[in-house]
Amino acid sequence: MLILGPLGFTAPWVLGALVALPVLWVILRAMPPAPKRIVFPGVALLQGLTDKSPVARRTPWWLLLLRLLAVAALILAFAGPVWKPAPRDDASGPLLIVMDAGWAAAPDWAAKQARAEAALTDAAAAGRPAALIMADARPPAGAVAFQPATSLTASLRAVRPKAWPSGLPGDVAEVLAEAPSGALSTLWLADGTDYPGRADWLAHLSDLGPVTVVPPMRALHTLSLQEGTVPALTLRGTSDDAPTVQAIGPDPQGIPRPLADLTADAPQTSGGITTRSIPIDLPPELRNRITSFRIQGNGHAGAVVLADDRVRRHKVALVGDPSDQSEAQQLLSQLHYLRQALAPTSDLVEGSLGDVLDAAPDVVILADQVQLAEIGELAEWVDQGGLLIRFGGPRMAGFDRLDQEPLLPVDLRQGGRDIGGALSWGEPRGIKPFDADGPFAGLVIPDDVTVRAQLMAQPAADLTARTIAALSDDTPLVTRDRLGQGQVVVVHVTANAEWSSLPLSELFVQMMQRLVATAGTSPRDEPVDDRQQPFWTPVQVLDGFGNLTEAVDLAPVPGADMQKGPGFGRPAGIYAAGERQQALNAGGPITLADWPGATVMQPDVTTGRDLTGALLALAAALLALDALGSAWLGRGGRVAAVLLVMALMPRPAAMAQDLDPDLIRAADEVALAYVVTGDDRIDTASDQGLRGLSAALRQRSSVEPGAPIGIDLDSDDLSLLTFLYWPVTADQPAPSPRAYMRLNAFMRSGGVIMFDTRDGDVTGVGGPDMTDTLQALAAPLDIPPLAPIPEDHVLTRTFYLLDDFPGRWRGNPVWVEAPPVGAEAAEGSPFRQLNDGVSPVIIGGNSWAEAWAIDDDGYPVFPIGSGWKGEEQREMALRFGVNVITYVLTGNYKSDQVHVPALLDRLRTEEALSR
């Protein structure tokens, strides 16, 4: 490539033709040979006559200049001009492309791929071998192979960023052991963050040859969950701006959507990273519905925090000793220790059992309570999904009918067991390590936690299965059983320090929080896993762009590896181990990378703008001016003058309106149009809906519509349009009489109007369910008789085969022009209307624009249904939209195809008879 300042040429050898321009100028300006003078008397008769078409002796300079400029423009166009081309690597040695492939690389991933592909194209043109290394923390797999650059393009296009930080494999010397001889040129497409091993790779690659680094094009923001008793988020970014953080969760219809916007605290900047704390200050009912937190406008896994039990707050009811005790007695109360353990993470309610059940708690805790009057109401509450936790104590131990007490997971012996008393035999017992997949898995048991007394369970065959925590002598400490949809848990010691030192330890707080977190679940029936460390099974995982998907073909992750955070083989997502679920989030602290010894390119450098088309257009314009100038000099001078004057004359207002730029663009780009109603919400939905339908048409068909256009019926000309979407609103004013004339002319000339009442109740002209507004708007229009779309209508097979026409709503008929009856139907042509049989109107109420609507990032704007059923309905709505536009643009060609088999049979019969 030849680069001259900001202009580059991909075929500079073509510029040699510019040398011929001076020669061409001389040839065209040369005088013709002088004529021979011969005296002929008859020529005297021509004296006084004028030549009406004189021929110039030489080409005028201005016309010659136009022709030379046109030739020069063609030569420059064929030379492949590029404005501000990207710098090219002129090295002759091998090329190594290193691409950071963690979640931080996702925001401008397409630009990184384009830059890498351009580098491979240049290397292929120069015959240089190349290698591609994805910094996705993959384990070492031996030396990388250098191969022809063209063979790497397909694999480059297939890779996607991962939902874990970037990382390079193994030792750089071992990875590059098979590199060809020659200076190694490295192109490093970085995500801007530092990670282990990056500095060593950079130093080694700098020793092997030049290293060019392309930093990210935009600022990076991450979101993480702060550890602590009060949940909060931490927002980190490489810029000072504070994007909005949204709390995402299901709405009352079960459709995920933003539930709240969170406000960040004052920023703190260190090392180029701006940090903000974001309290999760939301009502408990709203907080418990949150499934994730997301940074608005950031499409990567580090901008997503998946919510788990650390975010949710349960309502816990405490029933025990009276609350009006003295301060000394309160310190001895069992409820005191429960308050201290649960208050930071739960919402507590205290009172009698009847009072707390009226508050609809998630968990009820009974501290040494028996013979409760509301036991029947409590049993019904547990059966419907409640969690009941009961603590032992002297009252339960001394109850003479303890074996008949309801709502117990196991049968208990009266009197209990005194292990460490003065008259007992033996020493206090410690706690046995917890099962690897139980609710207390992973908790560390302090050595000083001992039990001096406990409630004893009656021996039973299923006692071990119902024990979730035991003492060192295998006697139960915590037992649990299922009751309906809920569960009952008994802690065989008191909630104060009377029977054990457990309530005085941090372990008690952790165990209570783990038990409360199981509210709403049921105990498992599977056997207990006897492994020391639990294995976490991925349930849902994020991709590098922050999209949550079902986990497929991922192996369980050891508990020790879960503490390391996301990495290769354990993407960010939701993991389950037994009854527990934990969110593994990608966001966290980030450190900016530095690049000593490397050449850092500007991140906004593009691949340049190709000027070939512009120069060809300029050459065509100059040749057109040349033709006009030649006509002026010749016999068409007057005609050319008239055309020039007409082009320069100011046009009347009506003509200027016909040349409205937006309407001309709509006609040129086959843009879809909608009626502007004056309601900003409806007009925005119409614009977003037609943008979504246009995107679907570009992806699925050969139709490539431009951006939608809003139409003012009272002022805009409709003659350049083919399709008009008209959302009907309750307070929409009727158009002017002139607008109705345009609408009728629009329909007679082949245009189609799609009326949408958006109410889910489809109405037809003259139908009993027709809204008053639609009836008033459609009355002045020349609308033919209507009927619901029949099963064999062309709209059911124009592009897709359809039997339903849903939008945001479904299950309602859609009305089109009724098929002819009588004589026309008897002739065998069911659709003999004008305009190639295309119905001029389509009327319904399924709110199609809201089903098609997408935002600037391409995501759906309005929810439809719930889950996959809703997405399936959105897909069918898009297919109906594609059918409608194909129907509008192509007419009833599909109807003609129905008769193709009969026509072929007839042709075969006639051919046989002719023989």
Side-chain angles (χ1 to χ4, degrees):
M1 170 178 282
L2 174 64
I3 298 179
L4 302 175
L7 187 63
F9 295 92
T10 59
W13 56 271
V14 180
L15 297 177
L18 293 174
V19 180
L21 291 180
V23 179
L24 184 61
W25 175 275
V26 173
I27 292 175
L28 294 178
R29 292 288 294 175
M31 292 289 294
K36 181 182 291 186
R37 295 180 177 272
I38 299 176
V39 178
F40 181 62
V43 177
L45 299 175
L46 302 178
Q47 272 187 328
L49 298 180
T50 59
D51 188 0
K52 296 181 179 180
S53 301
V55 178
R57 295 176 59 190
R58 64 177 62 187
T59 304
W61 69 268
W62 54 269
L63 189 60
L64 180 59
L65 180 61
L66 285 177
R67 293 173 180 175
L68 292 180
L69 289 176
V71 173
L74 290 174
I75 293 174
L76 293 175
F78 294 144
V82 179
W83 182 255
K84 291 185 177 180
R88 295 178 180 267
D89 187 6
D90 296 329
S92 59
L95 171 66
L96 175 64
I97 297 179
V98 180
M99 286 187 68
D100 287 350
W103 55 263
D108 52 353
W109 184 254
K112 286 182 171 63
Q113 285 182 309
R115 181 67 62 87
E117 187 170 349
L120 290 176
T121 302
D122 294 342
R128 302 167 57 194
L132 177 65
I133 295 180
M134 306 305 300
D136 56 1
R138 190 180 302 271
V144 65
F146 284 77
Q147 50 192 307
T150 54
S151 62
L152 298 175
T153 304
S155 58
L156 172 65
R157 295 173 179 173
V159 295
R160 294 293 182 269
K162 309 302 181 182
W164 55 78
S166 301
L168 287 165
D171 181 22
V172 58
E174 180 181 351
V175 174
L176 300 179
E178 298 181 4
S181 59
L184 179 66
S185 299
T186 302
L187 175 63
W188 196 320
L189 303 172
D191 60 16
T193 65
D194 193 12
Y195 49 85
R198 184 197 62 85
D200 295 338
W201 271 73
L202 176 62
H204 191 93
L205 292 175
S206 299
D207 295 338
L208 298 178
V211 178
T212 302
V213 178
V214 181
M217 300 176 60
R218 67 187 74 183
L220 180 67
H221 291 88
T222 70
L223 194 65
S224 60
L225 184 65
Q226 293 182 10
E227 297 294 340
T229 57
V230 179
L233 301 172
T234 300
L235 175 65
R236 298 178 177 88
T238 58
S239 65
D240 294 335
D241 58 325
T244 302
V245 175
Q246 295 180 325
I248 310 295
D251 60 11
Q253 286 74 36
I255 301 173
R257 67 175 183 85
L259 300 179
D261 292 341
L262 304 182
T263 303
D265 293 340
Q268 296 181 354
T269 302
S270 176
I273 305 299
T274 301
T275 304
R276 290 178 172 86
S277 179
I278 304 179
I280 307 177
D281 188 11
L282 298 173
E285 294 79 5
L286 185 61
R287 181 190 295 184
N288 293 340
R289 288 164 49 195
I290 295 175
T291 58
S292 64
F293 300 91
R294 293 176 180 265
I295 304 177
Q296 188 177 19
N298 285 249
H300 58 83
V304 180
V305 168
L306 300 175
D308 54 16
D309 293 331
R310 294 172 292 178
V311 175
R312 302 180 179 93
R313 289 180 69 90
H314 292 87
K315 183 182 293 186
V316 179
L318 303 180
V319 180
D321 299 329
S323 58
D324 56 351
Q325 297 173 324
S326 64
E327 182 177 354
Q329 291 176 326
Q330 288 181 6
L331 293 178
L332 298 177
S333 170
Q334 297 194 44
L335 297 187
H336 171 75
Y337 296 90
L338 293 172
R339 293 189 200 102
Q340 298 299 316
L342 297 176
T345 59
S346 305
D347 297 319
L348 302 181
V349 179
E350 295 188 38
S352 65
L353 182 58
D355 293 338
V356 299
L357 287 178
D358 293 337
D362 301 309
V363 183
V364 172
I365 299 179
L366 302 181
D368 195 17
Q369 299 292 308
V370 292
Q371 283 188 310
L372 296 170
E374 301 88 350
I375 195 67
E377 184 179 355
L378 180 61
E380 182 179 356
W381 173 82
V382 174
D383 184 71
Q384 295 176 356
L387 169 61
L388 173 63
I389 302 176
R390 305 185 66 170
F391 278 85
R395 187 179 293 111
M396 291 187 69
F399 185 46
D400 56 357
R401 294 190 302 276
L402 186 59
D403 57 344
Q404 302 176 12
E405 177 69 12
L407 297 182
L408 292 174
V410 295
D411 294 333
L412 299 178
R413 293 181 181 179
Q414 180 185 357
R417 175 193 186 192
D418 189 3
I419 306 175
L423 301 179
S424 65
W425 181 80
E427 296 293 333
R429 299 292 190 266
I431 300 177
K432 182 181 178 180
F434 300 118
D435 292 329
D437 60 351
F440 307 132
L443 297 183
V444 178
I445 303 173
D447 296 334
D448 58 350
V449 173
T450 58
V451 175
R452 299 182 299 275
Q454 67 180 130
L455 293 176
M456 292 299 295
Q458 294 284 2
D462 58 351
L463 179 59
T464 302
R466 299 185 183 185
T467 301
I468 58 176
L471 300 183
S472 56
D473 58 0
D474 287 330
T475 55
L477 174 63
V478 183
T479 54
R480 181 180 61 177
D481 193 15
R482 177 182 302 168
L483 178 60
Q485 298 182 7
Q487 51 182 323
V488 178
V489 177
V490 169
V491 182
H492 291 239
V493 297
T494 59
N496 58 14
E498 184 177 356
W499 284 12
S500 72
S501 61
L502 177 62
L504 302 177
S505 67
E506 182 66 21
L507 178 62
F508 181 74
V509 177
Q510 297 171 345
M511 293 176 65
M512 292 308 302
Q513 292 178 355
R514 289 281 186 92
L515 285 176
V516 170
T518 63
T521 63
S522 296
R524 299 181 309 104
D525 294 328
E526 292 83 357
V528 175
D529 191 342
D530 57 357
R531 292 175 295 199
Q532 293 296 321
Q533 290 290 338
F535 275 71
W536 294 84
T537 303
V539 179
Q540 290 180 305
V541 295
L542 293 171
D543 61 13
F545 298 106
N547 302 314
L548 190 63
T549 59
E550 297 297 326
V552 179
D553 299 332
L554 289 175
V557 179
D561 291 345
M562 287 286 288
Q563 305 302 321
K564 302 176 183 178
F568 183 81
R570 54 179 190 280
I574 300 294
Y575 290 76
E579 302 174 22
R580 299 173 55 204
Q581 281 197 343
Q582 178 179 336
L584 191 64
N585 293 307
I590 54 176
T591 304
L592 294 179
D594 56 349
W595 304 96
T599 301
V600 180
M601 297 181 59
Q602 293 297 325
D604 56 349
V605 174
T606 61
T607 57
R609 171 176 291 185
D610 190 359
L611 299 180
T612 301
L615 288 174
L616 289 177
L618 176 61
L622 292 174
L623 292 177
L625 291 176
D626 173 75
L628 186 61
S630 299
W632 175 269
L633 295 175
R635 296 184 178 183
R638 294 182 180 179
V639 177
V642 172
L643 294 176
L644 182 60
V645 171
M646 291 181 62
L648 298 178
M649 285 180 58
R651 300 179 61 84
M655 298 180 66
Q657 179 180 340
D658 293 342
L659 296 178
D660 182 89
D662 287 337
L663 289 173
I664 294 177
R665 179 189 62 78
D668 182 56
E669 299 178 355
V670 198
L672 309 181
Y674 62 91
V675 174
V676 176
T677 64
D679 188 325
D680 293 340
R681 184 179 63 84
I682 300 300
D683 295 341
T684 301
S686 300
D687 183 77
Q688 293 173 332
L690 295 188
R691 286 181 185 274
L693 179 57
S694 300
L697 287 166
R698 287 191 293 270
Q699 294 173 359
R700 308 180 186 194
S701 70
S702 60
V703 182
E704 298 182 354
I709 177 175
I711 295 297
D712 186 347
L713 296 178
D714 292 333
S715 59
D716 291 335
D717 186 6
L718 307 180
S719 61
L720 300 178
L721 304 176
T722 56
F723 173 79
L724 187 60
Y725 176 79
W726 191 337
V728 179
T729 60
D731 53 354
Q732 184 176 354
S736 64
R738 186 170 182 178
Y740 278 115
M741 293 177 60
R742 292 195 189 98
L743 288 169
N744 286 326
F746 171 72
M747 293 189 295
R748 286 193 296 269
S749 62
V752 176
I753 302 177
M754 189 176 195
F755 290 95
D756 191 349
T757 60
R758 306 175 299 101
D759 54 2
D761 299 323
V762 176
T763 60
V765 172
D769 298 329
M770 179 177 176
T771 62
D772 295 337
T773 304
L774 178 59
Q775 187 174 12
L777 291 175
L781 297 177
D782 297 335
I783 296 180
L786 301 179
I789 296 180
E791 295 181 356
D792 59 345
H793 196 273
V794 180
L795 275 175
T796 64
R797 60 178 182 272
T798 305
F799 195 89
Y800 292 102
L801 296 178
L802 301 176
D803 57 4
D804 191 15
F805 317 102
R808 195 178 181 189
W809 323 117
R810 71 182 311 163
N812 303 291
V814 180
W815 300 75
V816 295
E817 181 178 359
V821 296
E824 291 187 355
E827 292 177 5
S829 179
F831 300 102
R832 298 191 59 186
Q833 305 93 326
L834 298 174
N835 304 329
D836 196 24
V838 176
S839 174
V841 295
I842 300 173
I843 300 180
N846 287 339
S847 190
W848 289 293
E850 294 182 356
W852 303 332
I854 59 175
D855 59 17
D856 294 339
D857 297 325
Y859 293 103
V861 177
F862 297 93
I864 298 180
S866 61
W868 289 109
K869 288 293 184 181
E871 293 307 314
E872 181 182 7
Q873 181 174 336
R874 191 189 304 277
E875 171 63 20
M876 299 308 295
L878 282 172
R879 293 188 179 188
F880 175 59
V882 173
N883 273 21
V884 168
I885 301 305
T886 308
Y887 174 66
V888 170
L889 296 179
T890 61
N892 264 345
Y893 83 102
K894 281 287 187 177
S895 177
D896 299 335
Q897 290 184 352
V898 175
H899 306 288
V900 168
L903 293 175
L904 292 176
D905 291 339
R906 181 176 178 181
L907 289 174
R908 295 190 189 98
T909 303
E910 292 178 355
E911 183 179 3
L913 293 176
S914 63
R915 294 177 180 175

